[in-house]
Amino acid sequence: MSSKVLEIKNLLMQFGGLKAVNDVSLDIHESQITALIGPNGAGKTTFFNCLTGVYTPTSGDINIIPPGKKLIRANGLKPNKITEIGLARTFQNIRLFQNMTVLENVMIGRHAVTNAGVLGAIFNGKKTKEEEKKIIHDSHEILKVMNLEKFANEFASNLPYGAQRLLEIARALATDPFLLLLDEPAAGMNPQETIELIGTIEKLKHEFNLSILLIEHDMHLVMNLSDMCYVMDYGRLIAKGTPEETANNPTVIKAYLGEDF
Amino acid sequence: MDVGYFFKLLLSGLTRGSIYALIALGYTMVYGIIKLINFAHGELYMIGAFTGLIVASVLNYAGVDPVLTLVIATIFAIIFSSAFGVTIEKIAYKPLRNTQRLSALISAIGVSMFLQNFVLLFQTSDFLSFPNLIPEFKFLAPVENYLSSPQILIYICTAIFLIGFTVLVKFTKIGKAMRATAQDSKMSLLLGININKVISVTFLTGSAAAAIGGVLISSQVGQINFYIGFIVGIKAFVAAVLGGIGSIGGAVLGAFVLGLVESFGTGYISSDYEDLFAFLFLILILTFKPSGLLGKSLKQKV
Amino acid sequence: MLKIDNINTFYGHIHALKGISLEVKQGEIISLIGANGAGKSTTLLSISGLEKPRSGSITFNGEDLTRMTPDSIVSLGISQAPEGRRIFPSLTVLENLELGAFLRNDKKQIKKDIEFMYSLFPILGDRRHQLGGTLSGGEQQMLTISRALMMEPKLLLLDEPSLGLAPLIVKQIFEIIQKVNKEHNITVFLVEQNANQALKISDRGYVLQNGVITLSDTGENLLKNDDVRKAYLGV
Amino acid sequence: MNRLEILKKSLINAILGILLTFPITVIKVNTIEKEITWRWYMLALVGSVIFVISYLWIRQQERQKAGITFKFKESKLGIKYHSLMDKPGVTKRVLIFSTILIIALPFITSPYTTSIFTTALIYIILGLGLNIVVGLGGLLNLGYAAFFGVGAYTFAILNQNFGIGFWLALPLGGLASALFGAIVGLPVLRLKGDYLAIVTLGFGEMTRIVTENFGALTNGPSGIANIPKPTLFGHTFGYFGSTRFVYLIAVALVVLIIFIVWRMENSRIGRSWVAMREDDIACEAMGVDLTKAKMTLFIISASIAGIAGVLFAAKTTFINPQSFTVWESIMILCIVVLGGKGSVRGVILGGLILILLPEYLRAFQQYRMLIFGFLLIVMMVFRPGGIIQNVRKIYKIEGDLSNE
């Protein structure tokens, strides 16, 4: 088995009396797609928010191991630091920069891997100019990969819904991640769009050598994509295994899928 | 330590707090429902005080009984303040309900300037003295060094208003509609709630509270001018934020805390810095509790 | 019962609905399916009076809705459970339900109806004094639907009741929709992304594409239709 | 609504308005003489004013509802303007002409006019500075006048104690203000939205109160006088000369600051500010350090106010705390929002209107602030986005970049 890129140990996230994430441990391996499924309110998104620094977990460990680098303990790091380390995320309820163009949205993603400052901006020297050029160039490349090139100059708010979801992913890719966290990437997509999305995610995995963790309700997508599947309910992990194993697990069926799935 | 002095400050802090509470209530309600910092709310207090003064003077010079005068003046103050509040909303805020909040804020600033200068122009820029209408309560004689009749009246009126208001918001239908509108106005529409009516009632109640505060404090202090609303308005706003803006209990708590802080600050430290304590305390609290004393954490759902 | 005749609705400069006509008859379950951004929600909001069409008419039992305010439309017996659940997070479950009956004055019957909702969704009964915001997504969706039912509607408009819900909950919700339709004679107009489930329980369906209705047929036939199968059922 | 209906409604509004304003307008109390004056003529006056305003107001609302909005581009004047401007070389000529006009202004008008225009320019600088925070970053600062004050007092105090002149004070004032901005920013920038607004307002007021009471350094409420006017390589000007000179310095500073703001807007940093305004959570997830970004915004905006403060002190030669009150902060905010937040042209227009209008409304004397407040409401109701809506430079892909 390939090496680990993320290692979660006994993660606990408590809000008042509510244990939204309760003693969750899981590993994510390099170049694998891991799915996290579970009923609404099971704590999946909260778990995501702990990983990406939006929340600081109550206890437990979040260890990030960038390929070929040393382990970093990520508890309590700010979201931008986590992004710099190489974890990028999308949001369940789309959070694009609505009044910026598609290209500009992706350009923001390049923020962490570039460094022109205030003085650079004012004097706009050769280095700054070249960096700007490179940002535009790289962003454009990413748009091509995501097949969003034709929308490049449109405002994000004017994009069709499916394309907005893709732009979320494009923007995350722009930060040069090794681990991509997708929060319900297919939510609100019709089956046709979902099928296309499966292809796109596959392609990204190979082209950028990405590891992917995704939260999803669409079992079709989960079954088709993931190498490993974890199931959460009431903040706890209740099952893990290959997608087939999970789909046939009686506990999972009872809590989540329903009899006739 | 001088215990007497301490009590004097405590009681005067509660008086300030009561007045701030009456005004902060309006701020917080309006904010809760239309998410607008009604910069002109302090002006409604001033309008209330002026209407009260005018009516009271007319009656007083005509020789009407002081207590009756005070009651009638307060009623007129409430009516006119509320009418102004509702009118302002219709003219200056309603058209801006679906635009950026900053535009509505500027509109509110415009209203504030307009009302100040309206009163300045049609009345005077000088201080006017408020007729002395509050009777001396005999039972206060043993403690008259610490507690005056107007103070007692302020406490009682504030308490009555706050209780009535709580009942209104908690148990009546319109109160429930107000809370619903504050949380999700679009959804409230879909449930058949007439939100224009809800907003009008909100402005009406808030302005009425401010008017009561205006008349009470004016009869205690004894004089008013067109500018009294502005600084008190800002203080009440501070109180509302201190408690957690949008939270009614928070506004009341914030108001009393602020009143006490100011009273003790001026009494024990220095009266030169009277207005400084409010802000200093606000900054201290918000640094440790960014959403105010009783405010819900602003953490958005991600 | 409800008749939409050639309405055009604009969002700023965007022409969201381009001359839509459709009809809902007493006692039916009708679904409107289509991709995101096709104009499904706009159609529902236009019926409820939150979006005013620039032209065309919407009539309900002969009354023109386009000139009415949202609250008077509700008082005719049209209630809507909008997309994204929108329960009142800082009100209790009970208060949420009471607000559903805002326009009603029959206190006794309201109490009975609340008990009925608890029997439909027992979990809501267990949580009656809990704040709406503390419910899980599925519970919130149940609350939204029961709150809409509290109005004693003649016509129930449901916007994406299955969005973002676990498969098990989706099944439950659709069962309840059928139940209130059959047993309580409530006409249902359903907007859904989940075309498969929606069409299965519908008498008729409409397909909306970019603000235009492109297909209309019985639910059964639409399920068999090749274009629909390809675009919305993923076959 | 037809004309008759509008007239009817206006009549009703006039009657309601009379009732509403009755105690304040009709009854005048003299509490010293204990006399009441009943001014019944006010009924007619107030009624007719409200009637006219109501008529115009409703008519305009009806027009807007029907989709008739004033678009300069489509108006007669606008069409003429654009056809003229589209001719080759015209833009350049207009630019040269207006540059000459701007520079020549103090030499062809009275010192009084020059002085008013200098004030307007100072407020334009302030507007530009505040616009970075409010317009670009979406952070509401209601205590901006404090930064302005810090700049002015830095110059005044340094001059009194160490004899430092304008040119050295200019950067020092900016620096002091930036430092002050950093100190204020530390506790403040964790807060969001309206909480941020009230705390900045608090800081503004605290600064003023401390200035008023810290007499040893600031000379308290009476302020500091005899601040020297700027010199040119040691050459001092007479009264007229220095008025003109200050004006020209102000013009130069406005140009410089517009240039700096423009460069920043169109940079990696500026982009991250706009993203922060759009969605701070997503922005942070893109790797932008929000604390750092906000701090940078705050400090830059503060230093611009500081520079404006030094200029202001040099222009008036006398400062006191009354020039840096909440109202001053509000004025600057009005410039930004009225002009069109986020837009440099808007801020310039807003600054000119807000400073020049009250000056020239002096003809109406005591009515001017009343009218001014009313105009603010009218502007926001009928054009809430400000006079000039933001036109941001948008990055576009032109041609095929992939082969480079």
Side-chain angles (χ1 to χ4, degrees), chain A residues 38-41 158 161 184 188-192 195 217 219 253-260, chain C residues 14 35-37 85 136-139 163-169 171 193 230-234:
Chain A
N40 258 289
N158 293 343
Y161 184 85
E184 298 205 20
M189 282 190 173
N190 65 39
Q192 183 61 37
I195 293 169
H217 274 305
M219 281 309 283
I253 291 172
K254 191 158 171 286
Y256 180 55
L257 297 174
E259 311 295 338
D260 62 349
Chain C
I14 301 167
N36 262 297
R85 308 195 259 274
S136 75
E139 290 158 5
L163 186 70
L165 296 186
L168 193 62
I169 311 270
K171 213 177 122 202
Q193 192 58 233
K230 221 175 131 195
Y232 303 106
L233 305 175

Side-chain angles (χ1 to χ4, degrees), chain B:
Chain B
M1 200 169 96
D2 183 351
V3 180
Y5 188 57
F6 174 83
F7 272 106
K8 205 176 160 90
L9 292 180
L10 177 74
L11 292 168
S12 99
L14 290 177
T15 314
R16 276 173 190 256
S18 301
I19 299 300
Y20 289 157
L22 287 171
I23 306 168
L25 218 53
Y27 263 113
T28 230
M29 282 163 61
V30 168
Y31 185 88
I33 293 209
I34 54 173
K35 300 289 174 287
L36 165 76
I37 302 172
N38 182 9
F39 226 88
H41 190 65
E43 271 30 278
L44 293 168
Y45 157 92
M46 181 268 294
I47 296 268
F50 254 94
T51 313
L53 180 131
I54 290 167
V55 174
S57 302
V58 170
L59 296 174
N60 190 248
Y61 303 164
V64 179
D65 172 65
V67 176
L68 187 65
T69 302
L70 186 63
V71 172
I72 295 174
T74 312
I75 291 172
F76 269 92
I78 291 173
I79 293 172
F80 278 92
S81 253
S82 307
F84 264 100
V86 174
T87 313
I88 287 167
E89 194 275 323
K90 291 256 183 299
I91 294 175
Y93 304 153
K94 195 178 168 194
L96 287 160
R97 239 179 246 167
N98 298 318
T99 53
Q100 307 154 351
R101 291 174 46 206
L102 201 51
S103 309
L105 182 70
I106 301 292
S107 190
I109 289 168
V111 172
S112 180
M113 277 184 176
F114 181 85
L115 290 181
Q116 279 181 24
N117 287 285
F118 167 69
V119 172
L120 166 75
L121 205 59
F122 286 93
Q123 294 292 321
T124 170
S125 61
D126 302 331
F127 271 95
L128 293 180
S129 61
F130 206 95
N132 186 11
L133 300 171
I134 301 174
E136 290 288 327
F137 297 128
K138 296 232 166 60
F139 63 89
L140 283 179
V143 287
E144 65 185 353
N145 284 333
Y146 309 114
L147 190 59
S148 67
S149 305
Q151 279 181 307
I152 279 283
L153 197 66
I154 288 173
Y155 301 150
I156 293 171
C157 290
T158 308
I160 292 174
F161 189 88
L162 289 183
I163 292 168
F165 181 74
T166 312
V167 171
L168 175 85
V169 171
K170 275 263 172 211
F171 302 110
T172 65
K173 215 166 171 177
I174 185 80
K176 266 183 205 147
M178 277 160 93
R179 282 188 289 154
T181 310
Q183 288 176 43
D184 188 338
S185 55
K186 203 168 167 186
M187 188 60 229
S188 304
L189 277 174
L190 286 175
L191 294 176
I193 295 170
N194 181 344
I195 67 167
N196 287 333
K197 196 172 133 194
V198 170
I199 292 171
S200 290
V201 172
T202 308
F203 270 86
L204 196 133
T205 337
S207 315
I212 296 173
V215 174
L216 288 172
I217 195 73
S218 312
S219 38
Q220 192 208 6
V221 175
Q223 57 171 8
I224 59 174
N225 79 345
F226 72 98
Y227 200 63
I228 55 166
F230 187 68
I231 194 72
V232 174
I234 287 188
K235 294 280 185 61
F237 179 33
V238 168
V241 173
L242 194 62
I245 192 154
S247 147
I248 289 167
V252 176
L253 177 70
F256 281 105
V257 169
L258 191 70
L260 291 171
V261 165
E262 281 196 346
S263 177
F264 286 118
T266 41
Y268 284 125
I269 303 169
S270 159
S271 60
D272 286 344
Y273 290 95
E274 181 183 340
D275 293 338
L276 190 87
F277 301 115
F279 296 117
L280 199 61
F281 192 69
L282 174 82
I283 290 162
L284 274 178
I285 293 290
L286 289 189
T287 308
F288 295 106
K289 208 162 176 315
S291 48
L293 293 170
L294 296 186
K296 297 218 176 62
S297 169
L298 279 177
K299 204 136 220 173
Q300 300 173 51
K301 219 171 160 147
V302 179

Side-chain angles (χ1 to χ4, degrees), chain A:
Chain A
M1 196 172 246
S2 55
S3 57
K4 279 190 266 186
V5 290
L6 182 70
E7 170 184 80
I8 314 288
K9 283 187 195 154
N10 310 98
L11 195 73
L12 175 72
M13 182 72 229
Q14 201 163 350
F15 297 107
L18 176 80
K19 288 177 179 165
V21 175
N22 192 355
D23 197 23
V24 169
S25 302
L26 61 80
D27 294 332
I28 291 172
H29 293 271
E30 202 180 341
S31 310
Q32 277 202 353
I33 297 182
T34 310
L36 183 61
I37 62 171
N40 258 289
K44 303 180 302 281
T45 296
T46 310
F47 176 71
F48 244 51
N49 286 338
C50 291
L51 295 193
T52 51
V54 178
Y55 299 146
T56 305
T58 316
S59 67
D61 288 305
I62 300 169
N63 295 324
I64 305 175
I65 311 126
K69 289 190 193 143
K70 272 196 188 141
L71 179 147
I72 302 165
R73 188 165 185 272
N75 295 45
L77 288 185
K78 289 205 301 181
N80 56 304
K81 278 281 160 232
I82 305 259
T83 309
E84 276 173 34
I85 294 171
L87 264 63
R89 73 171 295 177
T90 64
F91 294 91
Q92 186 182 343
N93 42 348
I94 301 177
R95 302 189 83 111
L96 292 172
F97 308 118
Q98 300 287 348
N99 294 313
M100 297 174 93
T101 67
V102 167
L103 180 69
E104 285 172 327
N105 266 275
V106 181
M107 286 168 77
I108 295 291
R110 300 303 287 171
H111 190 91
V113 289
T114 46
N115 48 35
V118 174
L119 291 179
I122 294 172
F123 296 109
N124 200 21
K126 201 175 158 206
K127 226 173 115 190
T128 313
K129 273 187 190 150
E130 265 165 21
E131 194 185 80
E132 275 291 295
K133 232 179 179 175
K134 190 157 174 359
I135 292 176
I136 295 182
H137 177 263
D138 294 346
S139 307
H140 192 214
E141 288 300 312
I142 290 167
L143 287 180
K144 274 190 200 160
V145 173
M146 293 302 292
N147 224 347
L148 288 169
E149 208 188 343
K150 56 180 179 290
F151 297 120
N153 298 335
E154 296 262 359
F155 279 109
S157 52
N158 293 343
L159 249 53
Y161 184 85
Q164 295 202 6
R165 283 246 171 253
L166 291 181
L167 180 54
E168 279 251 330
I169 301 178
R171 198 176 60 172
L173 278 179
T175 65
D176 282 350
F178 59 85
L179 174 58
L180 190 59
L181 306 167
L182 304 175
D183 197 347
E184 298 205 20
M189 282 190 173
N190 65 39
Q192 183 61 37
E193 288 170 326
T194 308
I195 293 169
E196 282 165 19
L197 179 69
I198 292 172
T200 310
I201 296 179
E202 280 283 353
K203 186 172 90 175
L204 293 182
K205 179 184 143 182
H206 294 297
E207 212 157 294
F208 294 89
N209 191 25
L210 282 175
S211 319
I212 294 171
L213 171 63
L214 54 89
I215 294 179
E216 194 40 78
H217 274 305
D218 191 317
M219 281 309 283
H220 181 66
L221 181 132
V222 172
M223 306 285 284
N224 270 294
L225 266 179
S226 55
D227 303 300
M228 190 68 183
C229 189
Y230 290 89
V231 188
M232 268 180 98
D233 193 20
Y234 291 110
R236 285 179 177 279
L237 276 187
I238 57 165
K240 71 178 249 191
T242 63
E244 291 75 26
E245 283 165 16
T246 0
N248 295 319
N249 184 325
T251 328
V252 178
I253 291 172
K254 191 158 171 286
Y256 180 55
L257 297 174
E259 311 295 338
D260 62 349
F261 181 76

Side-chain angles (χ1 to χ4, degrees), chain D residues 192-207:
Chain D
K192 274 187 179 172
D194 301 322
Y195 288 85
L196 180 72
I198 184 69
V199 171
T200 46
L201 188 151
F203 260 111
E205 276 300 89
M206 281 165 63
T207 314

